[in-house]
């Protein structure tokens, strides 16, 4: 699905040097590279603050902790997402309220957002699934009418541009807080776990940084209940190298997506990803909706073509979060989505082999 080693080989000298520098200085925790990365990230995204942390799940948890919510307060999340989005809500004693998603964009359905709002609704976490943003103008409008906090889960759309009230800005900087993951396969990935939190609010930035640091602004003096969530210096050094290449990486993914589109057109049983006009698509995943999905996946596997199902089960059907509500779109997507290999090193030859195999399957 990804070729992290191939990507590393192209930047080997720079990466090796950056890692070596950390080892030589031996400032493995909170080294100068961490501060530098925070500053480069906020420059790149055009937001006031970036605060690195240990992973994307922590980023979401710390974001929720900074909102000072009370047990039982409700947080709205799309039903069709990675578990981390819902997990952190439940973990903090808050109530995840799942809403269905849009069948074409896979992002949360904004009509369903309005309908799900109750007196206890305090926040919403839109997820920019697969690399394309949810409709932030509509989400922010509804949220501001009801005084609801917006935390963008931008783990999959780092670097995407999103339209917000006629202007364009980077994904993760529109909501009150944005969160991302630097998991190795992400568009900006490190060589282990990593994450970051973004905000334009002075107050929130102070609290977010404090919570991520055991609730301390001054060492051994703890003003808030916090967690230990640090990005280590080695990962920051690696990300500083890779951040310089992010636009190149995004272009490579977008070019591969265009090739897939062309190669897959005119197959009735295959629906290629829909693009919206309010967001660019940075193709963390290239995800199809297909007929006879499970058989197709087996057929491709028999030819050594990896594919993945993101995600086979919606939140409301997970044993830990079961509800009796109906999620028609999410349930349908769980049966139909199939993600093809997508990364910066993909070649046209590989893509032709994959798409020829898909054509062969549907001709049988
Ligand atoms: C949508 C979404 N949210 C949150 C996360 C959590 O990130 P991490 O794995 O860095 O904790 C991921 C990572 O896979 C994700 O895809």
């Amino acid at each position: 699905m990804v070729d992290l080693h191939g990507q590393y080989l192209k930047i080997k000298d720079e990466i090796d040097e950056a890692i070596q520098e950390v080892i030589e200085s031996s400032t493995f925790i909170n080294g100068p590279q961490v501060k530098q990365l925070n500053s480069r990230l906020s420059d790149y995204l055009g937001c006031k603050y970036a605060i690195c942390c240990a992973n994307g799940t922590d980023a979401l948890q710390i974001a929720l902790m900074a909102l000072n919510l009370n047990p039982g307060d409700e947080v709205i999340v799309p039903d069709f997402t990675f578990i981390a989005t819902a997990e952190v809500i439940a973990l903090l004693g808050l109530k995840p309220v799942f809403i269905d998603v849009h069948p074409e964009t896979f992002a949360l359905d904004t009509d369903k957002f309005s309908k799900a709002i109750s007196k206890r609704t305090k926040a919403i976490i839109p997820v920019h699934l697969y690399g394309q943003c949810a409709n932030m103008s509509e989400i922010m409008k509804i949220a501001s009418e009801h005084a609801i906090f917006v935390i963008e889960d931008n783990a999959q759309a780092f670097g995407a541009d999103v339209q917000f009230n006629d202007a364009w800005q980077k994904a993760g900087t529109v909501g009150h807080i944005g969160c991302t993951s630097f998991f190795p396969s992400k568009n900006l990935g490190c060589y282990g776990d990593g994450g970051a939190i973004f905000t334009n609010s002075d107050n929130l930035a102070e609290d977010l940084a404090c919570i991520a640091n055991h609730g301390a602004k001054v060492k051994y003096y703890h003003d808030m209940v916090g967690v230990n969530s640090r990005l280590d210096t080695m990962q920051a050094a690696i990300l500083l190298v890779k951040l310089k290449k992010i636009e190149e990486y995004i272009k490579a993914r977008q070019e591969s997506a265009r090739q897939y589109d062309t190669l897959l057109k005119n197959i009735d049983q295959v629906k290629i990803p829909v693009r919206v006009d309010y967001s660019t698509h940075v193709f963390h995943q290239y995800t199809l909706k297909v007929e006879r999905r499970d058989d197709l996946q087996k057929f491709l596997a028999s030819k050594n073509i990896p594919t993945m199902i993101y995600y086979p089960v919606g939140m409301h059907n997970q044993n830990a979060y079961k509800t009796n509500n109906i999620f028609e779109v999410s349930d349908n997507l769980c049966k139909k989505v199939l993600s093809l290999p997508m990364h910066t090193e993909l070649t046209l030859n590989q893509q032709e082999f994959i798409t020829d195999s898909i054509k062969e399957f549907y001709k049988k």
Side-chain angles (χ1 to χ4, degrees):
M1 291 296 286
V2 292
D3 180 8
L4 298 176
H5 191 68
Q7 191 190 57
Y8 160 66
L9 290 179
K10 284 195 182 149
I11 51 172
K12 184 176 183 322
D13 289 349
E14 270 183 277
I15 292 281
D16 290 0
E17 195 186 320
I19 292 174
Q20 196 56 38
E21 209 176 293
V22 176
I23 298 171
E24 290 299 331
S25 75
S26 297
T27 44
F28 297 114
I29 300 292
N30 282 334
Q33 288 88 340
V34 178
K35 240 194 207 151
Q36 207 180 339
L37 181 64
N38 285 340
S39 152
R40 296 270 164 85
L41 284 169
S42 60
D43 286 350
Y44 172 70
L45 295 176
C47 64
K48 213 161 167 190
Y49 302 99
I51 299 148
C52 287
C53 63
N55 55 64
T57 309
D58 275 9
L60 290 164
Q61 182 181 328
I62 294 163
L64 281 171
M65 287 171 81
L67 301 182
N68 285 319
L69 306 183
N70 293 310
D73 281 348
E74 295 176 2
V75 181
I76 296 176
V77 269
D79 189 67
F80 189 65
T81 181
F82 180 60
I83 193 70
T85 328
E87 183 176 64
V88 291
I89 301 169
L91 200 65
L92 294 173
L94 306 167
K95 186 178 170 209
V97 173
F98 305 124
I99 58 171
D100 213 344
V101 293
H102 192 278
E104 302 299 331
T105 65
F106 312 114
L108 66 82
D109 183 330
T110 45
D111 289 341
K112 302 257 162 61
F113 171 25
S114 298
K115 289 185 187 128
I117 295 169
S118 79
K119 275 195 196 118
R120 298 222 67 171
T121 307
K122 293 289 164 10
I124 180 166
I125 310 183
V127 180
H128 302 324
L129 207 68
Y130 304 149
Q132 183 169 247
C133 295
N135 190 330
M136 288 307 293
S137 297
E138 281 186 19
I139 290 168
M140 293 306 287
K141 183 169 177 288
I142 301 166
S144 73
E145 282 163 9
H146 295 85
I148 292 170
F149 285 109
V150 178
I151 299 173
E152 290 176 71
D153 182 342
N154 196 31
Q156 301 191 6
F158 183 85
D161 296 298
V162 63
Q163 198 173 20
F164 174 51
N165 294 343
D166 299 331
W168 287 80
Q169 58 191 82
K170 287 284 178 202
T173 67
V174 177
H176 301 90
I177 304 176
C179 298
T180 205
S181 162
F182 299 129
F183 186 82
S185 62
K186 293 288 191 262
N187 286 23
L188 179 64
C190 57
Y191 292 179
D193 272 311
I197 315 165
F198 312 109
T199 187
N200 285 309
S201 152
D202 300 342
N203 291 341
L204 282 174
E206 201 176 319
D207 287 354
L208 291 163
C210 181
I211 293 165
N213 181 35
H214 293 292
K217 286 175 196 152
V218 177
K219 206 167 188 180
Y220 304 127
Y221 293 84
H222 305 276
D223 301 328
M224 307 171 81
V225 174
V227 292
N228 172 18
S229 189
R230 296 182 287 240
L231 182 76
D232 68 66
T233 313
M234 198 97 79
Q235 301 305 338
I238 290 162
L239 287 165
L240 279 168
V241 174
K242 292 187 72 180
L243 182 59
K244 287 190 271 176
K245 324 266 177 208
I246 186 68
E247 289 299 313
E248 189 188 311
Y249 289 159
I250 289 171
K251 278 200 190 95
R253 286 173 180 273
Q254 289 171 331
E255 185 48 34
S256 293
R258 264 192 294 275
Q259 295 289 6
Y260 270 140
D261 286 353
T262 310
L263 294 165
L264 288 168
K265 71 173 181 231
N266 304 329
I267 310 177
D268 291 345
Q269 298 90 337
V270 170
K271 290 226 159 46
I272 61 171
V274 167
R275 276 45 153 210
V276 297
D277 57 9
Y278 49 79
S279 170
T280 60
H281 201 320
V282 292
F283 289 99
H284 174 55
Q285 300 298 341
Y286 185 89
T287 302
L288 305 171
K289 284 196 287 181
V290 297
E291 302 298 325
R292 293 161 56 210
R293 193 261 320 267
D294 294 350
D295 289 341
L296 172 63
Q297 186 176 40
K298 276 186 209 130
F299 179 75
L300 294 175
S302 75
K303 290 174 166 262
N304 287 327
I305 298 172
T307 56
M308 288 293 285
I309 297 168
Y310 303 115
Y311 297 94
V313 183
M315 293 301 110
H316 75 283
N317 260 334
Q318 298 287 355
N319 287 337
Y321 300 92
K322 268 214 156 65
T323 74
N324 289 326
N325 296 350
I326 292 165
F327 295 84
E328 248 175 66
V329 179
S330 173
D331 285 348
N332 189 42
L333 291 178
C334 288
K335 290 187 202 116
K336 294 218 157 139
V337 289
L338 191 68
S339 298
L340 301 183
M342 169 53 81
H343 52 85
T344 55
E345 312 307 308
L346 204 57
T347 65
L348 184 55
N349 268 353
Q350 290 170 330
Q351 291 189 278
E352 280 170 348
F353 178 60
I354 294 165
T355 53
D356 285 348
S357 303
I358 294 174
K359 285 176 197 156
E360 188 188 332
F361 172 79
Y362 285 115
K363 274 199 195 114
K364 281 198 301 170

